[in-house]
Amino acid sequence: MITDTMYIGSGDVTQLMSGINTKGFQSLLKRFVSGVKPYYNALSSPIDACRTGAILELRYCLTLSQDYFYQYVVKCSDMDVFKASLDFAKLSNGKVCDFDELKSISLNDYMDLMPYKDDYDERLKYIKKRYKHYYNQVQEQLMCAGIEKANLVFLSVYTYNDEDNIRREIQPYEYIKTEIYRDEEVIQSIRDKAFIFQQIKNLYK
């Protein structure tokens, strides 16, 4: 069914927020109305960064308590065009109360972030500048989850060797966790850009 692809996920936010004449936005629009649902298997990706990220997600999961759920999907309550897959969602009474969004970054990029490790305000400022696309993604996730804050976690990548990463035991000093609060201005801009997508979906209801 064509409606199977009529959604905007958290991974689509960067394309959504691009200019309407960009390749990214056009690609999102084409997928949206294609009716051909994409399937991804990051663990078998030929792209080292994608495959490593997927492996390290599973390793990071081992550092969390059992009340976290892996790849938990939530949908926006008032704009059903939005849905989000949360890397690690914590539930309370059957509802999401917190989540971690994990991003694996190179050792060099991790070291660039390290000077801000103990200064939340400066770290957030750096994230909003250097990793704006991740910040926006978390805002879409917060909107869909209906909560006020969550965590953006940057994990250092040491190698792209699968066997080494599969055996890796992640330590607290190897990642930096930053609380991200709802930014209603950003959320509204995301909603505004998705308005036409919601109108298209409404035609098929």
Side-chain angles (χ1 to χ4, degrees):
M1 293 177 60
I2 191 171
T3 53
D4 289 346
T5 58
M6 289 186 173
Y7 65 87
I8 296 171
S10 51
D12 300 319
V13 172
T14 298
Q15 290 180 311
L16 176 69
M17 301 305 288
S18 303
I20 61 173
N21 293 318
T22 63
K23 290 182 178 179
F25 188 91
Q26 295 295 322
S27 176
L28 173 60
L29 184 58
K30 289 177 182 177
R31 191 273 294 161
F32 189 83
V33 298
S34 69
V36 180
K37 195 171 183 179
Y39 290 94
Y40 305 104
N41 185 356
L43 285 170
S44 62
S45 173
I47 302 172
D48 288 343
C50 292
R51 192 177 64 256
T52 295
I55 293 171
L56 293 180
E57 279 187 356
L58 298 176
R59 302 306 298 171
Y60 179 79
C61 189
L62 298 176
T63 71
L64 299 172
S65 59
Q66 292 184 346
D67 51 358
Y68 279 84
F69 291 81
Y70 180 59
Q71 295 296 320
Y72 190 84
V73 177
V74 289
K75 297 181 180 179
C76 183
S77 61
D78 65 330
M79 287 185 73
D80 65 0
V81 74
F82 284 114
K83 70 176 183 178
S85 179
L86 311 178
D87 284 345
F88 308 98
K90 185 177 183 179
L91 303 187
S92 176
N93 297 321
K95 294 184 179 181
V96 176
C97 63
D98 196 10
F99 66 83
D100 283 6
E101 176 64 24
L102 184 69
K103 300 299 180 185
S104 300
I105 59 175
S106 71
L107 181 58
N108 286 340
D109 288 342
Y110 188 79
M111 295 307 295
D112 287 342
L113 187 60
M114 277 295 292
Y116 310 103
K117 188 177 188 300
D118 298 320
D119 188 329
Y120 174 80
D121 291 337
E122 289 300 314
R123 187 166 76 253
L124 182 61
K125 187 185 300 183
Y126 180 80
I127 289 171
K128 291 170 74 172
K129 180 179 179 180
R130 174 67 175 82
Y131 297 105
K132 182 180 179 180
H133 52 305
Y134 293 155
Y135 179 83
N136 289 347
Q137 178 183 347
V138 172
Q139 292 302 324
E140 191 265 359
Q141 292 170 322
L142 288 169
M143 176 186 67
C144 289
I147 59 177
E148 293 300 315
K149 63 183 179 67
N151 303 300
L152 179 58
V153 185
F154 289 97
L155 173 66
S156 176
V157 174
Y158 301 133
T159 177
Y160 292 109
N161 181 281
D162 291 354
E163 293 303 318
D164 289 343
N165 286 321
I166 288 170
R167 292 192 298 267
R168 180 174 170 184
E169 295 184 8
I170 295 173
Q171 304 300 318
Y173 62 83
E174 296 176 322
Y175 59 85
I176 297 174
K177 182 180 292 192
T178 303
E179 280 191 329
I180 304 294
Y181 289 81
R182 284 178 72 102
D183 185 329
E184 296 298 343
E185 184 176 345
V186 172
I187 288 175
Q188 188 59 53
S189 66
I190 292 172
R191 292 168 66 91
D192 289 345
K193 287 296 292 285
F195 180 71
I196 184 62
F197 291 87
Q198 184 67 64
Q199 285 186 310
I200 293 171
K201 185 171 184 177
N202 289 345
L203 293 174
Y204 288 86
K205 290 183 179 179

